[in-house]
Amino acid sequence: MKNQKIFILMVLMPFLLSSCQKVLDLKPTDKLQPEQLFSDPEGVKVYMANLYYQLPIEDFTFFRQGVNFNGGDPNNGGFAPAMVTDEAMHTEFGDFIGNDDFKWWEQGYKLIREVNLMIDVIPTLAINEAEKKALIGESAFIRAYAYFSLAKRYGGVPLIKGSQPYGSPESLKVPRSTEKETWDFVLQECDVAIENLGTEKGRRANKFTAYALKSRAALHAASLAKFGSRAPLTGDAVTKKLVGLDAATAAGYYDACIKASQAVIASGQYSLFRPNPANPAEAAENYRLLFENPNSAPEEAIFVKGYALPGTSLGHNYDIWYQPAQLANGWPHPGRMNPTLDLVDTYESYDAPGKSAPIVTTSDGITGDYNGYSPTKNYIRYDSPNAIFANKDARLWGTAVLPGTLWKNTPIIIQAGYVKPNGEAVIRVKDQITIGNNTFHTYGAASVTQYSGFDTYGGNNTRTGFSFKKFLNQQKPVVAGWNQSTTDFMEFRYAEVLLNYAEAVVESGTGDAVLAAKVLNDIRKRAAHTTNEPLTVENVQRERRVELSFENKRFWDLIRRREFHTEFNNRSMHTLLPLQDLRALPATKYIFVRVVVPNTNPRTFEPKTYYRYIPGIGTNGLVQNPQY
Amino acid sequence: MKKIHIYILAVTLAFSACKLDNLEKPAAGLSGKFIDAQTNELVQQDIIRGTQIELKEHGYDPVSSQFLVVKTDGTYENSMLFANTYTIQPVRGNFIAVEPQEFKISPGSTLDFKVVPYIRIREASITKTGNKIVATFKIQQNIISNVKKIGLYAHVDSRVGEPMRQAATERELNAVTDANQVYTLEIDLPSNSAVLKPGNQYYFRIGALIDASEAKLNYAPAVRITI
């Protein structure tokens, strides 16, 4: 009996084994195969949508932890990249740039691998030539975008120009190309995209999106070449030219930026949104609208990333983190983006256009005194907590919620304290005083739900004296939950292309200086300026700072122009304290005091931070960036 | 019974598989000084963004460098290194570049670097005169290059320097200096009253920066003054 069983087993064995021969060729039944996905044009669309999603767009979901940081647990405490620049401070955190911040390596090569796969299958797809051409263009745009994001972080990187067939692990290791080769590849891919893409406007890349990318990337490369010597680095990566560009290459990159920007300008397809406002108030409202809903400005928006589904990774968190504390609507930690006095100072005044107009608080006109309130100083008294900003550039009013202004039909109260009739000041302390029949509160109101400034309660009140407005939704109350905001983000807009053009012309001394001055002033005119300013390096940079503030451009401007280590050398940001001056009673008067942002330490940028570290060099064998 | 056997087997396997971390902790260390080759004095440094010592441990390829920071007085110590041969080189310093050297680090190793500082700050004096802190000094350059800037830095901590200061007065020179010229820098106390409070003690230090790639400032020792 037992023998018989063994016999049967022996007979069956060859059959059993032979039937297993193709076990490794079995297809999973729960996953789509590439052929299946790509054989259907709808499948291609789905795949492409995913590639677009992975683009490293530095929008509302771009944080120190990376891009698209809103899936899973999106709680980052409301820390935004603007807070490591001179644009803003967080209400509580004083963090600066850490080694692991703003990296984009694994996700970068994942996107590149997937777009390479797309590029491979395009010729095999059953679609017409025009559609193929569009896909070739879009793939090149995505690849250019990905390598641009790598190059600005890491310098020269391994250029994977096609799908890598799996062989030995060694064959998959590609050494870093030089930084120049990497930038040249980015521009070359932009050219492929420009050549193949059409001009149709929509959410997908078109010819002008590719030109806009080229304009931005070429300007970045040109600046590195021109200003690299401001922060020289040494080490293996430098000797092998894996980081750094020769100064001589600047001219070529500026020229590429000029040509690409000019192509967008000359096309006549785009223009500034509401370019001729009647007055500053209208200009401020136009500017605010442009960001609250970019879809209302198709003439200016070149490339928009949409947010559509609240509560998913297609929603973001700007409204919960950054609406002023008074309008938190149940959210526990609002008000966390605090625009700095340093940024506010930068905006021009209509009284003296053509230069930054620092906020003057004392009759002697000194703006560099941060020693705090003193009863002996002669402060200028204003009738309201925002009268001091009356003649400042409309874009300040469209970007920040200023003390005592209306937002969502609510007066936003930002007050740091008061000066008692005896000249003694009570600042950043919760207190009250009754004079006659009136009671005055240091923070401008009695209860913590009634004001938005300076009280450290919950880390919810601005500590710079300014709350945030740009991009925020004024129409809807805050929904106290994750990913509830659906404001779209303009990744490329016409004004940036104009500013790129102006910068490339003024830095290189080539191109059409008359046109460059005109476009610079067109942007100012849109902000209700009535006089022109000349095309100078300083004017272009100031205009960039104010026009593009909080669009996550400032960080890279400081990087590419090698200004971070000089701008942030033991640097503290500043606050404007609005105080009610009770010495003026019965009149209601306010004075302002310039101070260092309370509870912060000065910050210093280390030159090695101009490049991120290359991860995993033990395995991938790549040369590490300097000083890591 | 059979079950018990299986349990015993499983438990034995599980325990034998677990051993506490069996790596020895780093037992060796390295310390030393940066000494001015001519004057035999310590070469003053910055603790933040200052000179670093690059260590490359042998036996690994590729190897990530380790960097040791140097104390402000010009000494350094790391007592938690693995005993091994290393390639050691001070980098991005405030002295003429030093070649890398191979060195075997064992417990309590010492390694001093004789260096030529870019700049020597001589005859330094810092005093409180009226409402001002006044520093006077001379500059001796040891390489032919411009002196970018000079500065007087103040901080409540003794490790004061250009990257770590609460108040400062700096002057851009961008010129080759004359060793006999006396430079004067002042910090006005009333106009810095928010950070330099009367009655408190602060440290003041004179620094000078040469115009060379990745150069760090040279300093005179910090001076403590009650203001």
Side-chain angles (χ1 to χ4, degrees):
Chain A
M1 186 66 186
K2 209 177 182 186
N3 280 347
Q4 200 180 342
K5 263 192 184 166
I6 288 172
F7 178 72
I8 292 170
L9 204 61
M10 281 175 70
V11 171
L12 281 176
M13 206 54 131
F15 293 99
L16 284 170
L17 287 181
S18 66
S19 72
C20 291
Q21 263 175 359
K22 290 189 175 161
V23 70
L24 293 176
D25 295 337
L26 280 177
K27 305 284 183 193
T29 53
D30 60 342
K31 290 192 172 80
L32 275 176
Q33 293 306 303
E35 311 83 66
Q36 292 167 306
L37 181 69
F38 292 128
S39 64
D40 183 345
E42 290 303 312
V44 176
K45 270 190 199 164
V46 169
Y47 192 80
M48 196 49 111
N50 184 272
L51 297 184
Y52 271 101
Y53 174 71
Q54 291 181 58
L55 278 182
I57 291 176
E58 295 171 2
D59 64 346
F60 311 120
T61 60
F62 169 59
F63 292 109
R64 294 187 296 182
Q65 299 89 332
V67 296
N68 285 330
F69 185 79
N70 61 342
D73 177 6
N75 187 355
N76 61 6
F79 198 90
M83 295 165 189
V84 300
T85 72
D86 43 14
E87 289 182 333
M89 289 298 288
H90 189 274
T91 43
E92 294 182 302
F93 310 156
D95 308 35
F96 204 39
I97 309 161
N99 279 358
D100 283 312
D101 291 348
F102 304 116
K103 59 188 179 182
W104 192 71
W105 182 269
E106 286 87 355
Q107 296 143 297
Y109 279 101
K110 176 175 179 286
L111 174 58
I112 286 163
R113 179 180 174 278
E114 292 183 11
V115 75
N116 281 338
L117 206 63
M118 181 82 213
I119 290 168
D120 284 350
V121 303
I122 292 171
T124 69
L125 297 176
I127 50 176
N128 67 38
E129 285 309 308
E131 287 170 325
K132 274 188 191 173
K133 214 170 151 192
L135 285 183
I136 290 170
E138 280 182 291
S139 305
F141 170 76
I142 290 168
R143 201 154 69 165
Y145 204 117
Y147 275 107
F148 170 45
S149 278
L150 287 170
K152 67 185 184 181
R153 289 174 168 83
Y154 302 101
V157 295
L159 297 177
I160 316 290
K161 297 182 181 177
S163 291
Q164 291 177 295
Y166 185 74
S168 71
E170 286 308 309
S171 74
L172 296 176
K173 291 185 183 177
V174 179
R176 295 175 70 178
S177 292
T178 64
E179 177 151 6
K180 175 155 198 317
E181 285 162 353
T182 306
W183 284 107
D184 289 346
F185 183 63
V186 172
L187 299 191
Q188 192 187 314
E189 287 289 286
C190 286
D191 289 337
V192 175
I194 290 163
E195 200 184 303
N196 287 285
L197 286 168
T199 56
E200 194 191 338
K201 288 188 186 180
R203 285 291 168 88
R204 296 171 74 156
N206 68 14
K207 195 183 283 295
F208 303 108
T209 324
Y211 272 125
L213 173 62
K214 191 178 180 189
S215 161
R216 186 189 289 175
L219 183 65
H220 196 115
S223 316
L224 294 178
K226 183 168 179 181
F227 301 115
S229 60
R230 287 177 173 175
L233 295 164
T234 53
D236 227 12
V238 178
T239 330
K240 292 175 175 157
K241 295 192 176 293
L242 305 181
V243 298
L245 293 172
D246 289 336
T249 61
Y253 291 126
Y254 278 126
D255 186 54
C257 173
I258 288 171
K259 291 207 169 99
S261 312
Q262 220 159 19
V264 181
I265 298 169
S267 76
Q269 297 287 310
Y270 298 93
S271 61
L272 292 174
F273 175 64
R274 301 190 182 169
N276 295 306
N279 52 53
E282 191 184 311
E285 177 60 10
N286 291 346
Y287 185 76
R288 189 194 69 77
L289 260 178
L290 177 61
F291 302 100
E292 185 184 60
N293 184 10
N295 304 304
S296 64
E299 66 269 49
E300 174 146 1
I302 298 177
F303 193 51
V304 174
K305 179 169 174 180
Y307 284 89
L309 287 174
T312 70
S313 59
L314 295 176
H316 62 84
N317 294 304
Y318 258 42
D319 285 288
I320 52 172
W321 290 129
Y322 304 137
Q323 292 273 3
Q326 280 163 266
L327 302 170
N329 204 26
W331 176 254
H333 296 296
R336 317 209 115 197
M337 181 87 86
N338 307 168
T340 60
L341 177 56
D342 309 65
L343 175 67
V344 172
D345 280 347
T346 310
Y347 291 87
E348 292 174 58
S349 154
Y350 296 113
D351 295 337
K355 54 178 194 279
S356 294
I359 302 294
V360 176
T361 59
T362 50
S363 56
D364 57 14
I366 293 173
T367 54
D369 179 351
Y370 296 106
N371 288 310
Y373 171 82
S374 156
T376 59
K377 284 182 199 162
N378 201 353
Y379 294 97
I380 303 170
R381 286 180 181 170
Y382 292 90
D383 293 337
S384 83
N386 54 59
I388 194 170
F389 312 107
N391 282 314
K392 285 285 265 185
D393 192 305
R395 287 167 292 187
L396 169 63
W397 293 75
T399 300
V401 176
L402 302 172
T405 56
L406 278 186
W407 176 244
K408 293 189 181 179
N409 295 317
T410 307
I412 302 302
I413 296 173
I414 298 171
Q415 188 178 313
Y418 48 61
V419 180
K420 292 184 195 171
N422 67 3
E424 185 193 330
V426 183
I427 298 175
R428 294 182 52 249
V429 181
K430 198 169 171 70
D431 201 358
Q432 63 186 64
I433 184 170
T434 303
I435 300 169
N437 294 325
N438 297 315
T439 299
F440 299 92
H441 301 273
T442 43
Y443 295 130
S447 142
V448 77
T449 57
Q450 295 171 315
Y451 52 77
S452 300
F454 295 102
D455 189 346
T456 52
Y457 174 84
N460 298 347
N461 299 298
T462 176
R463 57 173 167 169
T464 61
F466 307 98
S467 199
F468 189 54
K469 182 188 279 187
K470 196 168 173 177
F471 308 113
L472 298 189
N473 193 320
Q474 192 178 220
Q475 318 305 328
K476 286 191 290 192
V478 170
V479 179
W482 296 120
N483 295 331
Q484 297 295 328
S485 299
T486 51
T487 321
D488 295 339
F489 183 81
M490 271 182 290
E491 170 56 1
F492 291 104
R493 64 184 179 105
Y494 190 57
E496 186 207 342
V497 175
L498 298 183
L499 287 166
N500 291 349
Y501 181 75
E503 180 172 341
V505 167
V506 74
E507 294 289 353
S508 68
T510 62
D512 185 345
V514 175
L515 176 63
K518 180 188 175 294
V519 298
L520 177 71
N521 284 300
D522 283 350
I523 297 171
R524 291 176 67 251
K525 238 170 240 149
R526 191 253 298 265
H529 284 279
T530 50
T531 56
N532 287 338
E533 65 177 14
L535 180 77
T536 63
V537 170
E538 197 194 343
N539 287 345
V540 171
Q541 289 310 313
R542 182 183 55 250
E543 197 52 30
R544 266 189 92 86
R545 282 186 68 185
V546 301
E547 175 67 26
L548 304 177
S549 66
F550 298 99
E551 293 174 46
N552 293 331
K553 303 290 183 289
R554 177 68 177 157
F555 178 85
W556 296 110
D557 287 352
L558 290 169
I559 294 270
R560 70 183 166 84
R561 295 177 65 83
R562 293 295 190 252
E563 287 172 350
F564 232 134
H565 70 294
T566 44
E567 286 286 332
F568 279 81
N569 185 359
N570 203 66
R571 170 103 180 253
S572 290
M573 293 298 132
H574 298 100
T575 284
L576 190 67
L577 302 171
L579 306 178
Q580 187 176 358
D581 193 345
L582 302 175
R583 291 173 295 186
L585 287 175
T588 305
K589 295 284 181 184
Y590 295 88
I591 61 165
F592 297 85
V593 182
R594 298 173 64 99
V595 292
V596 169
V597 180
N599 307 332
T600 55
N601 290 316
R603 298 180 292 181
T604 295
F605 182 92
E606 287 192 55
K608 72 170 185 181
T609 316
Y610 282 121
Y611 293 98
R612 311 275 77 210
Y613 73 88
I614 307 267
I617 57 159
T619 315
N620 60 30
L622 299 178
V623 179
Q624 187 54 278
N625 276 336
Q627 302 181 39
Y628 284 108
Chain B
M1 191 61 193
K2 203 174 177 187
K3 263 192 181 166
I4 291 173
H5 274 289
I6 288 171
Y7 279 131
I8 292 173
L9 192 70
V11 168
T12 318
L13 272 173
F15 275 90
S16 65
C18 294
K19 228 182 193 181
L20 281 174
D21 190 348
N22 55 359
L23 285 175
E24 292 293 324
K25 69 173 186 182
L30 182 69
S31 62
K33 305 182 184 93
F34 283 85
I35 299 166
D36 187 327
Q38 190 195 324
T39 65
N40 284 323
E41 286 169 3
L42 287 172
V43 180
Q44 293 267 321
Q45 302 289 342
D46 263 320
I47 199 155
I48 300 174
R49 262 201 329 189
T51 306
Q52 293 186 327
I53 304 167
E54 184 172 14
L55 262 55
K56 285 184 178 161
E57 190 169 0
H58 287 200
Y60 301 93
D61 186 36
V63 61
S64 290
S65 295
Q66 299 179 60
F67 295 99
L68 309 187
V69 298
V70 183
K71 289 190 224 171
T72 42
D73 65 357
T75 64
Y76 71 94
E77 176 167 15
N78 184 333
S79 57
M80 294 282 269
L81 289 164
F82 288 107
N84 199 344
T85 306
Y86 292 78
T87 300
I88 299 179
Q89 183 186 22
V91 288
R92 298 180 291 280
N94 55 5
F95 41 79
I96 294 169
V98 177
E99 288 302 307
Q101 53 181 296
E102 280 189 17
F103 187 80
K104 202 166 158 41
I105 295 179
S106 47
S109 301
T110 59
L111 178 61
D112 292 343
F113 300 99
K114 292 250 177 189
V115 297
V116 180
Y118 287 134
I119 296 171
R120 285 192 192 98
I121 294 172
R122 316 187 74 117
E123 298 171 37
S125 136
I126 304 179
T127 52
K128 180 167 183 269
T129 311
N131 272 333
K132 286 178 174 149
I133 300 293
V134 181
T136 57
F137 53 96
K138 290 180 182 173
I139 288 176
Q140 181 194 339
Q141 294 185 226
N142 295 321
I143 63 167
I144 299 164
S145 182
N146 283 347
V147 173
K148 237 180 177 167
K149 66 175 179 186
I150 53 176
L152 174 62
Y153 305 99
H155 198 279
V156 71
D157 191 284
S158 64
R159 285 155 286 198
V160 55
E162 191 250 13
M164 182 167 160
R165 68 194 198 224
Q166 291 171 297
T169 298
E170 291 187 321
R171 192 187 307 158
E172 301 276 335
L173 293 184
N174 292 315
V176 176
T177 55
D178 171 2
N180 291 317
Q181 187 181 341
V182 177
Y183 292 91
T184 306
L185 291 172
E186 298 175 346
I187 292 181
D188 183 49
L189 295 174
S191 61
N192 288 288
S193 60
V195 284
L196 302 178
K197 299 194 172 83
N200 291 3
Q201 287 185 338
Y202 294 91
Y203 289 86
F204 295 86
R205 200 176 182 205
I206 299 163
L209 179 63
I210 201 85
D211 191 354
S213 179
E214 294 188 306
K216 300 293 186 294
L217 284 88
N218 291 92
Y219 292 99
V223 175
R224 189 172 68 179
I225 296 177
T226 305
I227 62 173

